[in-house]
């Protein structure tokens, strides 16, 4: 603009505009650039001589140049333009073709009736770039499937993203301001987890930790937490960024494989292992019921593992011959390939099985053959669903992991069976032999039984004459015939062994009268004429009976005494049976006297409870007490619990003892609570007879209401024999007790046949390792391996593991090293009367130890 056209104000203002750090452009009424300061030169990468006197279009992007003059004219004519008097961001094109982002402020200037404009331009390229970077980062945080959490220095949540809400079910308003513990599992492990997170936050390089968290609905979630602290310049933590990855599926599959491999390498049966696999998958899956079948030599299915698949269906599937139309499992085994049935109602493979399947709520199935080395189909792993559906990706992962485990279990089982048959089974009869009996008898003594454990030793009378007259081939034929007869005579829980050339040993349990009845039946059965070659012959046998523990406390002693009794029967002419001890009748009389005294003691409240403390393994702090019954008769003196409990079970008085114990223990617990004696729980043992009573949960509820103690203060102990007695009924009663809030503990775990499968199926929250495992814990590797497996498996099912019979410090240290939860035994205290227990507790100082 020529100098002579400027008024005094312009003369004053223009130098100031020249010195500002903002780019300044002035145009006159003809859109000609009249002012272009130094800052503008730097922005456009040009000199003012290239701009002054030219149309302002040289400064605007090429794409809007054709319409730019019209926009200015419209503003001059109407005074309406949204950008005048405001600031906006625009992309500016330089003379050299490059661009930059600018904040443009446009002012309308009227001088002497002529309208010009002033533009102030500030380079905001870096701000735009930073904002875009922030936008992209925010987009990543919002849209990632990883949970993102930002903590303040006090570990309080100040930000969570959408994936966090999806992962845990909590809206931001539910968790902002809370500590990270809001998503943890809510158990005693949280403290150590939080300590690790706090310690890891100090690591400038970041920190990773896998933690067990909990969804809002109570479901456990395993997450991998990556923590990255942000530090102030002076070194203090400003914020902590936590990225959470859901690893629940992978963690489940890893623990499934680890625990199942431990089970496979232990002495657990094939059914226990397969049941364990099925229950773990069902507990972690949605709408799925797994089952595992084997295929026998006759091409028939046999269920060897299940969880909640209805028993009626299992019985239907059992012994089905595989084929092209025998449901998903039968077809998969027949064809050796995976069979998917998304809708059983319309699938022709289910034509004969459709009705019972749908009646039991089964709508879809997915069966995968278990193929061993060599290509043989040894079994089928099947997932049943309650809704019509295709298998999900999670199912595929579970099946892949399970197939590998099932293959290992079956191969190991078949190898063990083959070796056992070669060395432990009689080739003529297929029965276990004497070597098998010697190796297993002591173990069988420790398992729960209904009544007495008894051995029957059977020897044929004058069998040598059969061999001498008819030859050894005929003798072998007769031995096979007798083995078949004995198999049909014994009960389903009994065991028969060929213990010698013409001798058999039968292992049974029950009342002593049962041994007499069984012996008489066998003798009648064998006295019937039979064909040897073309000749009908009759023969007889002699049977000797020994009873545990009256006739011996070891298997070897019992076997010797049963055979001695058998030879006594032979000496009396054969064809009869004989108990080892002639004092058996006197003992029976003594038992009747004891039963009568016990009945009187119950009626006159002469039983007493004592309480044995249970303490946390590491800290030594009180966990609870177990209530134990004691009886001192005025005439008979002290009667051991093992003796009077056995009599009570045989005579049906155990129910009265159990109800008395439950009421007395709860009353004592109420008194402790009133007196502020710090005992968290009291455990009470119940027998199988109690779980036959459908009103058991109602009785327990009445006792809780009567005494006023909280349900969590009561732990009901259940033995494996209870489950063997009636598994389905036990499940129903146990679930009802758990719904009351009462704890459930499996006592004497590891001493029965179905420990693992029963443990996984019952709603128990505590498992007790039997005291017998403490013998050899320090010196026998196999004992330690079994105890370790029990602890790992119990804890993997979310249960507290209690070791009984702990007597000295070395055992405690070993159990602490194994991460056992709770200990009970004489190391801490013998069972005490209630008043003595309060004194003991007042004087007791917990001793904490760390793993070695």
């Amino acid at each position: 603009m020529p100098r002579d056209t400027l008024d005094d104000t312009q003369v004053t203002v223009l130098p100031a505009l020249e010195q500002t750090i903002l780019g300044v452009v002035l145009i006159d009424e003809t859109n000609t650039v009249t002012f272009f300061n130094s800052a503008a030169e730097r922005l456009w990468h040009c000199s003012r001589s290239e701009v002054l006197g030219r149309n302002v279009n040289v400064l605007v992007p090429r794409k809007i140049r054709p319409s730019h003059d019209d926009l200015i004219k419209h503003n001059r004519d109407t005074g309406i333009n949204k950008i005048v008097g405001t600031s906006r961001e625009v992309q500016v094109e330089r003379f050299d073709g490059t661009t930059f982002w600018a904040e443009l402020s446009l002012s309308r200037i009227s001088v002497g009736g002529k309208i010009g404009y002033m533009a102030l331009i500030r380079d905001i390229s870096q701000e735009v770039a930073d904002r875009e970077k922030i936008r992209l980062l925010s987009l990543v945080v919002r849209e990632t499937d990883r949970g993102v959490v930002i903590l303040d220095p006090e570990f309080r949540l100040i930000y969570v993203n959408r994936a966090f809400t999806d992962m845990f079910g909590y809206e931001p308003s539910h968790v902002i301001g809370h500590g990270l513990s809001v998503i943890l599992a809510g158990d005693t492990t949280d403290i150590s987890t939080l300590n690790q997170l706090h310690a890891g936050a100090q690591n400038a390089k970041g920190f990773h930790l896998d933690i067990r968290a909990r969804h809002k609905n109570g479901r456990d979630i395993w997450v991998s937490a990556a923590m990255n602290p942000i530090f102030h310049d002076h070194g203090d933590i400003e914020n902590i960024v936590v990225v959470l990855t859901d690893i629940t599926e992978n963690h489940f599959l890893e623990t499934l494989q680890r625990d199942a491999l431990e089970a496979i390498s232990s002495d657990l049966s094939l059914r226990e292992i397969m049941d364990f696999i099925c229950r773990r998958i069902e507990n972690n899956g949605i709408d799925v019921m797994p089952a595992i079948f084997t295929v026998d030599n006759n091409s028939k299915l046999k269920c060897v593992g299940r969880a909640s698949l209805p028993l009626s269906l299992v019985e239907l599937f059992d012994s089905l011959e595989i084929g092209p139309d025998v449901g998903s499992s039968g077809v998969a085994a027949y064809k050796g390939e995976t069979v998917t049935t998304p809708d059983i109602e319309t699938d022709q493979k289910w034509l004969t099985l459709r009705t019972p399947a749908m009646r039991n709520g089964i709508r879809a199935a997915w069966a995968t053959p278990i193929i061993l080395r060599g290509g043989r189909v040894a079994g089928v792993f099947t997932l049943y669903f309650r809704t019509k559906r295709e298998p999900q990706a999670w199912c595929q992962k579970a099946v892949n992991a399970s197939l590998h485990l099932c293959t290992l279990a079956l191969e190991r089982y078949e190898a063990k069976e083959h070796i056992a048959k070669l060395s432990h089974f009689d080739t003529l009869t297929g029965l276990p032999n004497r070597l098998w009996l010697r190796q297993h008898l002591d173990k069988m003594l420790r398992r729960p039984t209904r009544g007495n454990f008894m051995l029957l030793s059977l020897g044929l009378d004058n069998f040598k004459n059969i061999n001498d007259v008819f030859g050894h081939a005929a003798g072998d034929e007769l031995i096979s015939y007798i083995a078949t007869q004995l198999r049909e005579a014994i009960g389903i829980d009994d065991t028969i062994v060929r213990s010698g050339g013409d001798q058999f040993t039968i292992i049974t349990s029950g009342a002593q009268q049962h041994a007499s009845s069984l012996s008489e039946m066998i003798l009648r059965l064998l006295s019937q004429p039979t064909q040897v070659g073309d000749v009908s012959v009759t023969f007889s046998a002699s049977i000797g009976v020994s009873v545990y523990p009256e006739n011996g406390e070891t298997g070897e002693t019992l076997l010797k005494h049963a055979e001695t009794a058998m030879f006594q029967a032979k000496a009396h002419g054969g064809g009869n049976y004989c108990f080892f001890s002639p004092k058996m009748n006197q003992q029976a009389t003594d038992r009747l006297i004891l039963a009568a005294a016990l009945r009187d003691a119950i009626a006159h409240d002469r039983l007493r409870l004592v309480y044995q403390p249970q303490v946390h393994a590491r800290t030594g702090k009180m966990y609870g007490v177990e209530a134990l019954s004691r009886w001192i008769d005025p005439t008979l003196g002290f009667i051991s619990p093992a003796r009077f409990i056995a009599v009570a079970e045989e005579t049906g008085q155990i129910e009265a003892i159990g109800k008395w114990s439950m009421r007395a223990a709860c009353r004592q617990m109420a008194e402790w609570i009133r007196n502020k004696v710090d005992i968290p729980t009291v455990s009470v043992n119940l027998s199988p007879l109690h779980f036959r009573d459908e009103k058991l949960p109602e009785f327990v509820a009445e006792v809780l209401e009567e005494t006023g103690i909280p349900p969590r203060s009561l732990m009901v102990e259940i033995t494996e024999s209870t489950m063997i007695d009636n598994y389905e009924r036990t499940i129903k009663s146990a679930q009802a007790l758990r719904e009351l809030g009462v704890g459930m503990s499996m006592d004497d775990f590891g001493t029965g046949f179905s420990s693992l499968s029963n443990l996984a199926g019952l709603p128990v929250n505590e498992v007790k390792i039997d005291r017998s495992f403490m013998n050899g814990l320090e010196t026998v590797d196999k004992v330690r391996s079994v105890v370790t497996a029990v602890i790992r498996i119990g804890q993997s099912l979310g249960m507290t593991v209690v070791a009984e019979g702990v007597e000295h410090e070395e055992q405690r240290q070993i159990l602490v090293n194994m991460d056992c939860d709770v200990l009970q035994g004489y190391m801490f205290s013998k069972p005490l009367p209630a008043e003595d227990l309060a004194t003991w507790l007042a004087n007791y100082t917990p001793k904490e130890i760390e793993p070695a």
Side-chain angles (χ1 to χ4, degrees), residues 71-363:
L71 291 173
I72 298 175
K73 182 177 184 301
H74 178 74
N75 182 262
R76 281 197 180 95
D77 295 341
T78 65
I80 300 174
N81 192 309
K82 294 181 180 179
I83 69 169
V84 174
T86 64
S87 295
R88 65 178 303 180
E89 294 179 2
V90 296
Q91 193 171 33
V92 178
E93 185 178 340
R94 296 187 178 98
F95 272 45
D96 58 8
T98 61
T99 60
F100 68 95
W101 279 96
E103 182 182 67
L104 171 66
S105 298
L106 195 63
S107 300
R108 178 181 167 120
I109 302 172
S110 177
V111 179
K114 297 178 180 180
I115 299 192
Y117 294 88
M118 178 175 68
L120 301 179
I121 301 98
R122 182 172 68 88
D123 188 345
I124 59 170
S125 297
Q126 187 60 49
E127 296 175 26
V128 171
D130 291 344
R131 195 166 61 240
E132 178 65 10
K133 184 185 297 184
I134 292 172
R135 186 188 72 82
L136 293 175
L137 289 174
S138 299
L139 183 65
V140 170
V141 171
R142 286 197 310 271
E143 300 303 324
T144 182
D145 60 353
R146 305 293 198 271
V148 177
V149 177
I150 300 178
L151 308 175
D152 66 13
E154 283 71 41
F155 263 67
R156 293 186 295 261
L157 283 74
I158 59 176
Y159 171 81
V160 296
N161 69 342
R162 175 191 54 77
F164 177 92
T165 297
D166 294 342
M167 193 178 296
F168 296 101
Y170 291 105
E171 294 296 332
S173 60
H174 297 155
V175 294
I176 296 300
H178 291 275
L180 198 58
S181 60
V182 70
I183 62 169
L184 297 183
D187 56 29
T188 55
T189 62
D190 285 359
I191 296 176
S192 61
T193 299
L194 287 172
N195 288 338
Q196 291 183 70
L197 293 173
H198 278 271
Q202 307 298 323
N203 187 349
K205 296 181 179 179
F207 176 70
H208 286 79
L209 180 67
D210 292 348
I211 59 177
R212 183 159 66 97
R214 183 153 298 171
H215 192 275
K216 183 182 178 183
N217 63 15
R219 175 173 55 89
D220 281 352
I221 306 172
W222 278 92
V223 294
S224 176
M227 302 189 65
N228 293 281
I230 310 300
F231 294 95
H232 286 292
D233 292 339
H234 49 72
D236 290 338
I237 291 179
E238 181 177 3
N239 288 111
I240 303 160
V241 179
V242 184
V243 179
L244 302 169
T245 305
D246 190 337
I247 59 169
T248 304
E249 284 187 8
N250 290 338
H251 183 270
F252 163 69
L253 294 175
E254 290 172 2
T255 55
L256 171 65
Q257 293 193 57
R258 182 196 66 206
D259 295 342
L261 287 173
E262 281 192 18
I264 291 170
S265 63
S266 70
D267 290 331
L268 295 174
S269 68
L270 180 66
R271 178 171 291 278
E272 287 179 303
I273 295 167
M274 297 307 199
D275 278 352
F276 173 71
I277 293 171
C278 290
R279 293 188 189 283
R280 284 289 286 272
I281 290 176
E282 182 166 312
N283 290 340
N284 286 271
I286 300 175
D287 183 40
V288 61
M289 290 180 286
I292 302 170
F293 301 89
T294 55
V295 181
D296 64 17
N297 294 331
N298 297 317
S299 297
K300 292 184 177 181
L301 296 175
K302 180 66 177 177
C303 183
V304 295
R306 72 180 181 103
S308 64
L309 187 69
L311 184 60
S312 59
L313 274 184
V314 173
E315 293 172 344
L316 176 64
F317 294 158
D318 261 359
S319 302
L320 282 177
E321 187 170 349
I322 64 176
D325 57 353
V326 192
S328 303
S329 300
V331 176
Y334 180 74
K335 293 184 176 182
E337 59 187 40
T338 298
V339 174
T340 303
T341 306
D343 185 0
I344 287 176
E345 189 174 8
T346 60
D347 196 310
Q348 291 301 307
K349 295 187 291 294
W350 281 84
L351 187 61
T352 59
L353 301 173
R354 179 178 299 141
T355 299
M358 296 186 66
R359 186 168 57 243
N360 283 277
I362 307 299
R363 295 293 182 270

Side-chain angles (χ1 to χ4, degrees), residues 32-53:
T32 300
V33 178
T34 61
F35 183 80
F36 196 75
N37 70 349
S38 300
E41 288 180 312
R42 292 191 294 273
L43 289 175
W44 266 274
H45 292 182
C46 66
S47 66
R48 67 188 68 192
S49 61
E50 297 176 84
V51 178
L52 291 175

Side-chain angles (χ1 to χ4, degrees), residues 119 212 466 595 633:
R212 183 159 66 97
I466 299 292
D633 187 83

Side-chain angles (χ1 to χ4, degrees), residues 394-462:
W394 183 91
C395 295
Q396 181 66 64
K397 294 178 182 178
V399 167
N400 291 341
S402 301
L403 283 177
H404 172 64
L405 297 170
C406 291
T407 300
L408 290 177
L410 282 173
E411 288 180 343
R412 180 179 174 84
Y413 171 75
E414 291 187 353
K416 289 174 68 175
E417 286 287 295
H418 181 66
I419 293 172
K421 284 184 177 180
L422 291 177
S423 59
H424 294 84
F425 286 78
D426 174 48
T427 56
L428 176 62
T429 62
L431 295 174
N433 58 22
R434 194 176 188 87
L435 177 61
W436 182 95
L437 180 62
R438 289 183 180 277
Q439 291 188 355
H440 289 80
L441 193 50
D442 283 322
K443 186 187 301 182
M444 297 172 77
L445 278 174
R446 293 194 296 269
R447 76 186 185 190
T449 59
R450 300 184 184 90
N452 300 287
F453 183 92
M454 296 175 286
L455 292 188
L456 279 63
S457 180
L458 181 149
L460 298 179
D461 297 331
N462 302 314

Side-chain angles (χ1 to χ4, degrees), residues 461-471:
D461 297 331
N462 302 314
F463 180 70
K464 184 176 182 297
N465 295 337
I466 299 292
N467 279 332
D468 292 342
V469 174
F470 297 100

Side-chain angles (χ1 to χ4, degrees), residues 646-662:
V647 171
E649 288 178 339
E650 288 179 12
T651 59
Q653 297 179 77
I654 192 67
E655 288 187 86
I657 293 178
K659 288 186 175 181
W660 169 83
S661 299
M662 176 70 69

